[in-house]
Amino acid sequence: MSVKEILTELKSLGNEKMMAINTKAGAGKNQFGVKMGDIRNIAKKLKINHELGLQLWNAGNIEAQFLAILIMKPELLSAQQLDTMVQQIDFTHVADWFSSYILKDHPAKEELRMKWLKSKNKWALRAGWSLMAGKIARNADDLDMAALLKQLHKEMPKAEKEVQWTMNFALAYIGIHHPSYRKQALSIGEELGIYRDYPVSKGCTSPFAPIWINEMVKRQSK
């Protein structure tokens, strides 16, 4: 299938309800309102096709970007390409898929984490803190937790909302995975109050760091 044919199919699957959900979540007009299940079904049909994925990424449509993420080969993307791509993102759900499917295990993730944490682009900075949160949870031997907590305490309140979300992951992960810093992480979370009143569905855990930390620690102890 060509990019044009894929975009035509995506458009045919769009609906106003999904478009409204995306819009409420921060998406712009560059969307068709396609359900994630339909996007995954198209990806299964297309299978892995890196070159087509690159073309779809540049099509200027969020569903095309979701699809691109599913059919590209992350290991074929250079650090320079990833740096360009992350700054082309303009929707948080695409940013999260990009982090989970493309960046999480990429060989250049450490290089990019350090670069993006100094970026003035909010999407690069969001991705940098997402990578930092992952490192805190899985491979934190070379991290200075005290310095990180100090930085989060200072910078989270004034961070853009897109960046604040992944910074909050970093704060929560320090409290969850590093018991010696848990009390300090809880204290910072309480003081800042970020996401204290965030609406959550029944059965879901609040993103408010103190609630999140305590809930996950409770689960670990069972």
mmCIF file of all heavy atoms in Angstrom, residues 60-77:
data_model
loop_
_atom_site.group_PDB
_atom_site.id
_atom_site.type_symbol
_atom_site.label_atom_id
_atom_site.label_comp_id
_atom_site.label_asym_id
_atom_site.label_seq_id
_atom_site.Cartn_x
_atom_site.Cartn_y
_atom_site.Cartn_z
ATOM 1 N N GLY A 60 2.166 14.101 8.311
ATOM 2 C CA GLY A 60 1.466 15.205 8.954
ATOM 3 C C GLY A 60 0.138 14.838 9.577
ATOM 4 O O GLY A 60 -0.774 15.660 9.667
ATOM 5 N N ASN A 61 0.023 13.610 10.054
ATOM 6 C CA ASN A 61 -1.229 13.115 10.632
ATOM 7 C C ASN A 61 -0.893 12.239 11.832
ATOM 8 O O ASN A 61 0.010 11.405 11.757
ATOM 9 C CB ASN A 61 -1.987 12.322 9.561
ATOM 10 C CG ASN A 61 -3.202 11.603 10.095
ATOM 11 O OD1 ASN A 61 -3.082 10.469 10.553
ATOM 12 N ND2 ASN A 61 -4.356 12.245 10.054
ATOM 13 N N ILE A 62 -1.607 12.389 12.954
ATOM 14 C CA ILE A 62 -1.212 11.648 14.151
ATOM 15 C C ILE A 62 -1.451 10.153 14.011
ATOM 16 O O ILE A 62 -0.666 9.350 14.521
ATOM 17 C CB ILE A 62 -1.901 12.195 15.432
ATOM 18 C CG1 ILE A 62 -3.423 12.037 15.377
ATOM 19 C CG2 ILE A 62 -1.488 13.620 15.703
ATOM 20 C CD1 ILE A 62 -4.089 12.334 16.724
ATOM 21 N N GLU A 63 -2.520 9.750 13.305
ATOM 22 C CA GLU A 63 -2.745 8.312 13.108
ATOM 23 C C GLU A 63 -1.643 7.695 12.257
ATOM 24 O O GLU A 63 -1.216 6.563 12.491
ATOM 25 C CB GLU A 63 -4.109 8.057 12.468
ATOM 26 C CG GLU A 63 -5.282 8.208 13.426
ATOM 27 C CD GLU A 63 -5.858 9.609 13.481
ATOM 28 O OE1 GLU A 63 -5.314 10.487 12.781
ATOM 29 O OE2 GLU A 63 -6.850 9.819 14.195
ATOM 30 N N ALA A 64 -1.162 8.453 11.274
ATOM 31 C CA ALA A 64 -0.058 7.979 10.445
ATOM 32 C C ALA A 64 1.203 7.828 11.286
ATOM 33 O O ALA A 64 1.992 6.894 11.082
ATOM 34 C CB ALA A 64 0.182 8.940 9.282
ATOM 35 N N GLN A 65 1.391 8.712 12.263
ATOM 36 C CA GLN A 65 2.554 8.607 13.147
ATOM 37 C C GLN A 65 2.428 7.399 14.073
ATOM 38 O O GLN A 65 3.410 6.682 14.302
ATOM 39 C CB GLN A 65 2.727 9.898 13.946
ATOM 40 C CG GLN A 65 3.230 11.055 13.092
ATOM 41 C CD GLN A 65 3.564 12.284 13.916
ATOM 42 O OE1 GLN A 65 2.955 12.545 14.957
ATOM 43 N NE2 GLN A 65 4.535 13.051 13.451
ATOM 44 N N PHE A 66 1.252 7.168 14.607
ATOM 45 C CA PHE A 66 1.036 5.956 15.413
ATOM 46 C C PHE A 66 1.385 4.713 14.600
ATOM 47 O O PHE A 66 2.076 3.806 15.066
ATOM 48 C CB PHE A 66 -0.430 5.853 15.858
ATOM 49 C CG PHE A 66 -0.812 6.716 17.023
ATOM 50 C CD1 PHE A 66 -1.914 7.555 16.956
ATOM 51 C CD2 PHE A 66 -0.095 6.670 18.213
ATOM 52 C CE1 PHE A 66 -2.288 8.337 18.044
ATOM 53 C CE2 PHE A 66 -0.464 7.442 19.307
ATOM 54 C CZ PHE A 66 -1.560 8.284 19.212
ATOM 55 N N LEU A 67 0.886 4.669 13.378
ATOM 56 C CA LEU A 67 1.125 3.536 12.494
ATOM 57 C C LEU A 67 2.605 3.400 12.172
ATOM 58 O O LEU A 67 3.157 2.289 12.177
ATOM 59 C CB LEU A 67 0.302 3.720 11.217
ATOM 60 C CG LEU A 67 0.160 2.538 10.261
ATOM 61 C CD1 LEU A 67 -0.340 1.298 10.993
ATOM 62 C CD2 LEU A 67 -0.786 2.913 9.126
ATOM 63 N N ALA A 68 3.258 4.515 11.912
ATOM 64 C CA ALA A 68 4.692 4.507 11.619
ATOM 65 C C ALA A 68 5.489 3.886 12.760
ATOM 66 O O ALA A 68 6.401 3.083 12.545
ATOM 67 C CB ALA A 68 5.171 5.936 11.363
ATOM 68 N N ILE A 69 5.131 4.248 13.980
ATOM 69 C CA ILE A 69 5.826 3.729 15.159
ATOM 70 C C ILE A 69 5.739 2.208 15.220
ATOM 71 O O ILE A 69 6.694 1.528 15.608
ATOM 72 C CB ILE A 69 5.246 4.373 16.443
ATOM 73 C CG1 ILE A 69 5.660 5.843 16.513
ATOM 74 C CG2 ILE A 69 5.695 3.619 17.696
ATOM 75 C CD1 ILE A 69 4.921 6.640 17.576
ATOM 76 N N LEU A 70 4.597 1.661 14.809
ATOM 77 C CA LEU A 70 4.378 0.216 14.883
ATOM 78 C C LEU A 70 5.097 -0.567 13.790
ATOM 79 O O LEU A 70 5.371 -1.757 13.965
ATOM 80 C CB LEU A 70 2.881 -0.092 14.827
ATOM 81 C CG LEU A 70 2.045 0.375 16.013
ATOM 82 C CD1 LEU A 70 0.564 0.111 15.756
ATOM 83 C CD2 LEU A 70 2.481 -0.302 17.299
ATOM 84 N N ILE A 71 5.399 0.067 12.659
ATOM 85 C CA ILE A 71 5.987 -0.693 11.549
ATOM 86 C C ILE A 71 7.460 -0.351 11.274
ATOM 87 O O ILE A 71 8.093 -1.014 10.453
ATOM 88 C CB ILE A 71 5.155 -0.541 10.248
ATOM 89 C CG1 ILE A 71 5.238 0.882 9.692
ATOM 90 C CG2 ILE A 71 3.716 -0.959 10.484
ATOM 91 C CD1 ILE A 71 4.586 1.024 8.308
ATOM 92 N N MET A 72 7.994 0.649 11.948
ATOM 93 C CA MET A 72 9.414 0.975 11.766
ATOM 94 C C MET A 72 10.302 0.025 12.568
ATOM 95 O O MET A 72 9.866 -0.577 13.546
ATOM 96 C CB MET A 72 9.692 2.416 12.201
ATOM 97 C CG MET A 72 9.228 3.463 11.225
ATOM 98 S SD MET A 72 9.829 5.128 11.612
ATOM 99 C CE MET A 72 8.951 5.463 13.125
ATOM 100 N N LYS A 73 11.566 -0.060 12.180
ATOM 101 C CA LYS A 73 12.580 -0.793 12.929
ATOM 102 C C LYS A 73 13.410 0.226 13.703
ATOM 103 O O LYS A 73 14.210 0.943 13.108
ATOM 104 C CB LYS A 73 13.481 -1.595 11.992
ATOM 105 C CG LYS A 73 12.814 -2.785 11.331
ATOM 106 C CD LYS A 73 13.829 -3.580 10.510
ATOM 107 C CE LYS A 73 13.206 -4.817 9.914
ATOM 108 N NZ LYS A 73 14.205 -5.599 9.127
ATOM 109 N N PRO A 74 13.223 0.308 15.025
ATOM 110 C CA PRO A 74 13.928 1.326 15.810
ATOM 111 C C PRO A 74 15.444 1.300 15.635
ATOM 112 O O PRO A 74 16.095 2.354 15.610
ATOM 113 C CB PRO A 74 13.533 0.976 17.253
ATOM 114 C CG PRO A 74 12.219 0.299 17.116
ATOM 115 C CD PRO A 74 12.306 -0.484 15.843
ATOM 116 N N GLU A 75 16.019 0.097 15.502
ATOM 117 C CA GLU A 75 17.472 -0.011 15.418
ATOM 118 C C GLU A 75 18.042 0.594 14.141
ATOM 119 O O GLU A 75 19.255 0.847 14.049
ATOM 120 C CB GLU A 75 17.898 -1.481 15.532
ATOM 121 C CG GLU A 75 17.464 -2.377 14.381
ATOM 122 C CD GLU A 75 16.085 -2.983 14.561
ATOM 123 O OE1 GLU A 75 15.325 -2.492 15.407
ATOM 124 O OE2 GLU A 75 15.794 -3.960 13.833
ATOM 125 N N LEU A 76 17.182 0.844 13.154
ATOM 126 C CA LEU A 76 17.648 1.466 11.915
ATOM 127 C C LEU A 76 17.618 2.992 11.975
ATOM 128 O O LEU A 76 18.061 3.662 11.046
ATOM 129 C CB LEU A 76 16.789 0.991 10.729
ATOM 130 C CG LEU A 76 16.849 -0.502 10.395
ATOM 131 C CD1 LEU A 76 16.014 -0.806 9.153
ATOM 132 C CD2 LEU A 76 18.280 -0.969 10.193
ATOM 133 N N LEU A 77 17.098 3.523 13.050
ATOM 134 C CA LEU A 77 17.021 4.976 13.219
ATOM 135 C C LEU A 77 18.269 5.483 13.935
ATOM 136 O O LEU A 77 18.639 4.983 14.992
ATOM 137 C CB LEU A 77 15.781 5.353 14.020
ATOM 138 C CG LEU A 77 14.439 5.057 13.341
ATOM 139 C CD1 LEU A 77 13.305 5.140 14.359
ATOM 140 C CD2 LEU A 77 14.186 6.019 12.186
#
